[in-house]
Amino acid sequence: MPLVVAKTARPLLVRGGIDRPRLLHLLDRTTRKPLTLVRAGAGWGKTVLVSAWTHSRATSVAWLSLDTYDNDPQTFWAYVVAALSGAGALTAENPLVEMRSVPRDERERAQRMIAGISRLPDPTVLVLDDFHVIDDRQVLDEVGVLLRHPLPSLRLVVITRTEPELPLHRLRAADRVGEVRADDLAFTTDEATTLLSDHGLDLDSGDVTMLLDRTDGWVAGLRLGATFLAGEAGSRSIADFTGDIRGVDGYLTDEVLAGRSPRQRRFLLETSISEQMCAGLVNAITGESDGQRMLEDLELDNDFVTRLGPKPVWFRYHHLLRDVLRHRLHLEMPAMVPGLHHRAARWYARNNSVIEALSHAVRGEDWTYVGHLVTAQAGPLILSTQRAALVRILRQVPRQQLTSTPELMVCDALLLFHIGDYDAIPARVARIRQLLRKRPAATRDPAEVLLMALQVAGDRALGDMPAVVDVETEQLALLARSPYLDGAAAAQYRAIALNSKGLALMWTGDVVRGARDLRASAAAAEAIGVELAQINATGHLALLEMLHGSVSEAARLAYSARDLAERRAWRYTVQAVAAHFAQALVHLERVDPVAAQEVLQHGVRAHESEPEAAQRLVMFGVQARLALANGQLGRARSFLAQARRDRNTRTYVPALDQWLTLLDADVDLAGGQPDRAEQHYRGTSDDELPGLAHRVRLARAALAQGNPRRAEQLLTAEPATSGETVATVEAGIVGALVADSRGHATRAVDLLAGAVRLAVDEGIRRPFVTLSSNRLTALFDRMRLLGPSSADIIDGLRPAGRPTEAALAAENLSEREAEVVRYLPTMLTAAQIAAELGVSVNTVRAHLRSIYRKLGAERRSDAVARAREAGIL
């Protein structure tokens, strides 16, 4: 981006530079501290001094010139990283190198920046010029955090006109601030004499002293005075020069503009609309071709034009001069201003600096072009890390303009999407399409593609997956047939469309087509470098494999997506959510609840950044599975209940609902309520069951209720497919238990051995923990006898961790308590159990309290689950 080069280049004053060794030595001393504050008003030579110091020292220096558009944390830190990179301060091992954008999440942003800054070469100086333009509270707070916990590798130099809102009182009290003020910057007699001599003036000491008194050593005043005195063949006197800031406008107008050729004068006024300038930009603004020569000439004959960097590529006017030029421009040529911004906007747009192009279009009140830019180039940024910058500019468009053209109505729809008003988007899109209908395809197609992308984003947020499939099918067809779309943009849209269509097909139950489109999206996104889409598609493929395929493949895909997100600093983006949740499910299948909890927290934080209905349901499902793994049945039920509450009426995700039903059944089975587990499938025939995993739940319920024949029918009605690895392992274990209960010992061992082989290949352990019992332990012992070489594998699959604790707790149960435990899975009340045992109801209640305490259970259903894990039941 052209602007990055200009903003991160060190200013270089070719004309009028004065050696000031006393100030260079002062900076040597102050920069030994974490913060150096160079504070004085406009025209005191702050930037010139610091730039001269950086060029005269061997220290690694990164420079950033700030402006008002940097009042956004992501934008601010992105330019800081660019400055550090441009200065060669980022080594290959630095985590900032692979970061494609600054994280939106505040905590991740702070962690990433601190980690990168801590690895800078020691010492690295970061200069923040014009820091007084920063008034965003979040940016100021984050810089303050960096200063409160200073890193030895960084020395921060802040150039500002005013006292910055940083924790300076603490830093001063800790002697962590070095300061250079106006009193330090004021010219001495010797320095003033040298400056005047450079302007061809030979004044005696009395005149120099008088000039210093009139200007208080203010360098801008001295330069203006020198220019003033040198004018009109030296006939002017110091008595005629006021020397204070009130006369700057007049002096600059008279001395800088006066005597210029009409061409030079017009050039200065017209190019003042831009903060930084290069030949290409000023040629576009002025409509001429001599921009490079004009800029270099101005630099050589004027103290208020500064080169940015060692090569004469980018330049800027001193703030004082630029303000005066803009004022004169609006006085003398007000009708020209919109056109100048219009030309600057088009130059930036041609050079792929869309945000800068929009900024000039807005400043020029060129609303039609704002709409064109948004539909043709800037619209997709609403789904990118530049979203905040885009929204900030669109909010500057007057409200009445947002309904004046279809393109500006698209801007309004983008703002609706940003605030999450998804229900309002369809009507707005329909109205825009109606207005676009009469437009030629050359202007209609780009707008239509953006509208479709916006509509799909809203549909995804609400969970309307059939709508996503329909719109993306249309969009892909338009992308394939329209000749009016930019090739690079069309390729990006296609990768994103395939991703959205693939996940929508997956959640509506079309797993095969969903997997096909997700794979196509991941491949296309990787090929063209649209990595956020690649992460999202790969994460959803991991979820698909986790629910319908291979755990090991899910683990590979989730790692791939999360690793890329981590390297690019996108851990907490909405595109990484699916990968986090898939990884958490992998950890749960491998009985690592601690790791699952950590990854789940990452997924929840990423989800909160931009919630989507489907991912919200996955989140509740993973939370329920984790609670179940920790024996918290009530908590698991609560999560599943939340998943079914407060849904938008447009949410349609049948495949997710089936998975949630599966988890409901798991909770009921763990709580010793097999009859309740069966209720979830009431009205569904065996032929209508959605898959092997659901048959396994019903088979477990039948076995728990003493009906092994029914369990066997359910398991043999549909043979397991090699793709559904978790369900296949579960079916093998349950089948082994069923066969053993019916006296088919050999078949039981064969089924369990098959489940063990697949579980070892896939890294699956959870089903062995969930289904652990004395009978399963006996089957494992029989396997050991039949195949001693498999002993290590069998031991690796035996329940570990919490179930062992439950077994130890069970050993402490008294004989009478053990008898009471056997009644817990039944429907008998405490009074009825007392009658069965021939004891009082109070005695049974006392036993129940002791049982709950020893098993670590809160209620009867929890105690049943713990007892099953311990092998008592």
Side-chain angles (χ1 to χ4, degrees):
M1 194 164 63
L3 195 58
V4 173
V5 178
K7 287 176 67 68
T8 58
R10 280 186 274 177
L12 183 64
L13 191 64
V14 174
R15 181 182 183 275
I18 303 298
D19 289 334
R20 307 182 75 186
R22 65 181 181 87
L23 292 180
L24 299 181
H25 293 317
L26 175 59
L27 282 174
D28 285 338
R29 295 193 300 274
T30 60
T31 52
R32 293 172 189 156
K33 299 180 180 181
L35 171 64
T36 294
L37 198 63
V38 183
R39 180 171 64 88
W44 279 95
K46 305 181 295 296
T47 299
V48 171
L49 169 66
V50 177
S51 177
W53 177 78
T54 64
H55 283 96
S56 65
R57 301 298 186 266
T59 306
S60 175
V61 177
W63 189 288
L64 175 58
S65 299
L66 297 164
D67 56 57
T68 55
Y69 290 100
D70 298 326
N71 276 292
D72 170 75
Q74 286 181 277
T75 303
F76 176 86
W77 291 112
Y79 279 127
V80 167
V81 173
L84 292 170
S85 177
L90 301 183
T91 60
E93 298 77 23
N94 195 298
L96 299 178
V97 170
E98 290 192 284
M99 190 170 72
R100 288 294 180 269
S101 62
V102 173
R104 184 178 174 185
D105 182 87
E106 178 183 342
R107 282 181 288 177
E108 186 186 13
R109 184 167 61 243
Q111 291 169 359
R112 180 66 65 133
M113 292 306 304
I114 290 172
I117 290 171
S118 66
R119 298 190 190 182
L120 294 175
D122 188 13
T124 295
V125 174
L126 171 61
V127 180
L128 300 178
D129 195 6
D130 290 332
F131 194 78
H132 53 270
V133 303
I134 300 298
D135 55 18
D136 181 85
R137 188 68 260 167
Q138 187 65 39
V139 173
L140 292 167
D141 288 346
E142 291 180 13
V143 174
V145 169
L146 194 63
L147 291 171
R148 279 196 296 271
H149 308 283
L151 299 168
S153 55
L154 182 69
R155 298 289 182 269
L156 188 62
V157 177
V158 170
I159 304 174
T160 177
R161 296 183 189 176
T162 58
E163 182 96 341
E165 294 185 44
L166 298 172
L168 296 177
H169 59 289
R170 297 181 184 177
L171 297 170
R172 284 173 176 141
D175 194 27
R176 292 179 175 174
V177 184
E179 301 191 56
V180 179
R181 299 186 174 126
D183 290 344
D184 302 307
L185 293 167
F187 267 51
T188 64
T189 301
D190 288 342
E191 290 168 345
T193 300
T194 303
L195 183 147
L196 294 167
S197 178
D198 284 353
H199 282 75
L201 297 171
D202 184 16
L203 303 182
D204 61 35
S205 60
D207 286 340
V208 173
T209 301
M210 183 183 299
L211 189 58
L212 281 173
D213 289 341
R214 290 195 171 224
T215 60
D216 290 326
W218 179 45
V219 61
L222 288 170
R223 292 187 189 282
L224 288 170
T227 304
F228 175 80
L229 294 171
E232 297 189 10
S235 62
R236 296 169 176 173
S237 70
I238 294 175
D240 299 322
F241 179 68
T242 60
D244 61 18
I245 197 165
R246 290 170 297 175
V248 167
D249 192 333
Y251 285 130
L252 285 173
T253 301
D254 293 341
E255 304 305 331
V256 177
L257 291 179
R260 298 282 177 189
S261 68
R263 168 74 188 114
Q264 286 181 320
R265 193 175 194 280
R266 189 180 185 90
F267 179 91
L268 283 164
L269 293 176
E270 290 180 342
T271 56
S272 67
I273 66 164
S274 187
E275 302 286 332
Q276 297 89 8
M277 301 161 290
C278 68
L281 175 58
V282 297
N283 285 341
I285 292 173
T286 63
E288 304 288 348
S289 59
D290 57 352
Q292 186 67 36
R293 179 179 61 80
M294 295 288 286
L295 288 169
E296 291 190 37
D297 287 349
L298 286 169
E299 178 194 20
L300 292 172
D301 75 1
N302 192 282
D303 294 340
F304 294 90
V305 179
T306 305
R307 179 194 301 181
L308 301 175
K311 296 181 180 179
V313 178
W314 284 92
F315 301 81
R316 76 177 181 190
Y317 297 140
H318 191 282
H319 300 297
L320 293 172
L321 176 60
R322 189 175 66 233
D323 291 345
V324 168
L325 291 174
R326 286 180 179 177
H327 178 63
R328 299 305 305 175
L329 175 66
H330 282 83
L331 287 177
E332 297 178 17
M333 300 185 289
M336 292 286 294
V337 175
L340 297 174
H341 282 295
H342 179 83
R343 296 171 195 167
R346 277 159 175 71
W347 183 85
Y348 274 116
R350 288 194 300 272
N351 285 275
N352 297 317
S353 296
V354 184
I355 294 297
E356 288 75 24
L358 273 175
S359 173
H360 275 285
V362 168
R363 286 165 59 192
E365 299 184 355
D366 191 351
W367 309 124
T368 300
Y369 190 58
V370 169
H372 169 76
L373 271 177
V374 167
T375 55
Q377 288 180 266
L381 298 181
I382 198 70
L383 301 175
S384 77
T385 53
Q386 289 186 279
R387 176 175 178 164
L390 174 64
V391 168
R392 190 168 59 253
I393 292 175
L394 293 184
R395 282 176 172 164
Q396 297 175 43
V397 180
R399 189 73 222 161
Q400 65 271 20
Q401 293 293 336
L402 291 174
T403 57
S404 59
T405 70
E407 289 82 3
L408 286 166
M409 291 175 71
V410 171
C411 298
D412 191 36
L414 290 171
L415 292 174
L416 287 174
F417 174 79
H418 175 70
I419 63 174
D421 191 358
Y422 307 120
D423 289 324
I425 291 176
R428 197 65 50 90
V429 168
R431 175 59 180 155
I432 296 169
R433 283 187 173 134
Q434 186 179 15
L435 295 173
L436 286 172
R437 194 169 295 150
K438 296 180 181 179
R439 294 282 188 88
T443 58
R444 186 179 65 246
D445 286 357
E448 183 62 39
V449 168
L450 176 58
L451 285 175
M452 288 177 173
L454 184 61
Q455 187 175 348
V456 163
D459 291 337
R460 276 184 61 170
L462 296 174
D464 189 348
M465 295 304 161
V468 172
V469 173
D470 291 344
V471 176
E472 290 299 30
T473 301
E474 286 184 57
Q475 188 182 40
L476 287 166
L478 177 58
L479 290 168
R481 71 172 182 266
S482 177
Y484 303 111
L485 301 171
D486 175 76
Q492 293 179 18
Y493 274 122
R494 181 177 179 275
I496 295 169
L498 285 168
N499 174 44
S500 292
K501 185 179 179 182
L503 68 88
L505 288 168
M506 178 178 87
W507 293 135
T508 52
D510 194 340
V511 175
V512 174
R513 289 174 61 209
R516 180 198 64 196
D517 284 349
L518 287 171
R519 290 191 188 97
S521 171
E526 183 178 16
I528 60 177
V530 186
E531 293 180 325
L532 282 171
Q534 179 186 348
I535 289 167
N536 198 233
T538 306
H540 278 92
L541 277 171
L543 272 179
L544 186 148
E545 287 289 345
M546 195 62 243
L547 301 180
H548 303 285
S550 162
V551 173
S552 61
E553 179 63 7
R556 185 189 69 79
L557 290 166
Y559 174 81
S560 172
R562 294 181 71 243
D563 177 64
L564 181 56
E566 184 69 28
R567 286 187 283 117
R568 301 296 188 252
W570 292 332
R571 178 193 293 173
Y572 297 120
T573 58
V574 65
Q575 290 85 358
V577 173
H580 292 315
F581 289 158
Q583 185 65 63
L585 289 172
V586 169
H587 285 313
L588 288 172
E589 288 303 325
R590 293 174 175 176
V591 195
D592 191 348
V594 175
Q597 175 68 45
E598 181 181 352
V599 177
L600 174 60
Q601 288 174 344
H602 293 327
V604 171
R605 275 180 62 185
H607 166 72
E608 289 170 349
S609 69
E610 198 171 323
E612 288 187 356
Q615 293 188 339
R616 175 177 178 269
L617 299 182
V618 177
M619 175 184 74
F620 284 132
V622 178
Q623 288 172 325
R625 174 67 81 195
L626 177 61
L628 185 59
N630 290 326
Q632 301 167 323
L633 302 188
R635 189 171 172 79
R637 286 198 175 95
S638 175
F639 284 127
L640 292 170
Q642 287 183 69
R644 291 185 166 85
R645 285 199 305 265
D646 305 323
R647 283 203 195 187
N648 188 283
T649 55
R650 288 175 56 192
T651 300
Y652 183 77
V653 283
L656 262 177
D657 287 329
Q658 290 171 0
W659 180 57
L660 294 173
T661 297
L662 196 77
L663 295 174
D664 278 322
D666 279 344
V667 174
D668 291 334
L669 290 166
Q673 296 175 297
D675 54 331
R676 184 169 168 174
E678 288 180 325
Q679 306 252 332
H680 298 296
Y681 300 96
R682 180 179 292 173
T684 304
S685 68
D686 291 354
D687 293 337
E688 295 171 332
L689 289 171
L692 177 62
H694 295 271
R695 291 178 176 278
V696 170
R697 269 62 185 175
L698 286 174
R700 288 177 58 192
L703 183 62
Q705 295 177 94
N707 192 349
R709 185 181 297 276
R710 165 68 176 152
E712 189 172 48
Q713 288 174 344
L714 285 161
L715 294 174
T716 56
E718 178 182 318
T721 62
S722 59
E724 298 178 88
T725 56
V726 174
T728 302
V729 169
E730 291 174 329
I733 299 170
V734 175
L737 295 172
V738 169
D740 188 60
S741 70
R742 302 192 68 193
H744 305 312
T746 303
R747 175 169 170 74
V749 172
D750 288 344
L751 287 170
L752 184 59
V756 166
R757 283 193 296 271
L758 181 57
V760 170
D761 290 342
E762 291 285 320
I764 298 171
R765 289 192 64 238
R766 181 189 58 80
F768 297 95
V769 174
T770 301
L771 297 167
S772 63
S773 63
N774 289 334
R775 175 165 280 162
L776 183 60
T777 300
L779 282 174
F780 270 129
D781 290 339
R782 227 177 291 164
M783 278 184 62
R784 184 193 293 271
L785 291 172
L786 293 173
S789 62
S790 62
D792 291 341
I793 296 175
I794 293 170
D795 290 340
L797 291 173
R798 284 184 183 277
R802 187 180 55 78
T804 301
E805 294 171 5
L808 291 173
E811 293 178 2
N812 294 323
L813 295 177
S814 67
E815 184 176 347
R816 180 63 77 177
E817 287 169 349
E819 286 182 331
V820 172
V821 166
R822 293 188 178 91
Y823 286 95
L824 295 185
T826 70
M827 302 297 290
L828 296 181
T829 64
Q832 291 169 328
I833 295 173
E836 288 284 326
L837 295 175
V839 297
S840 72
V841 66
N842 288 334
T843 300
V844 170
R845 286 172 179 157
H847 288 320
L848 288 173
R849 286 194 295 272
S850 178
I851 291 166
Y852 292 170
R853 177 175 52 79
K854 291 179 179 180
L855 292 180
E858 297 179 0
R859 55 183 65 85
R860 185 167 176 170
S861 60
D862 293 342
V864 170
R866 300 282 276 172
R868 288 189 187 281
E869 293 165 4
I872 303 171
L873 297 174

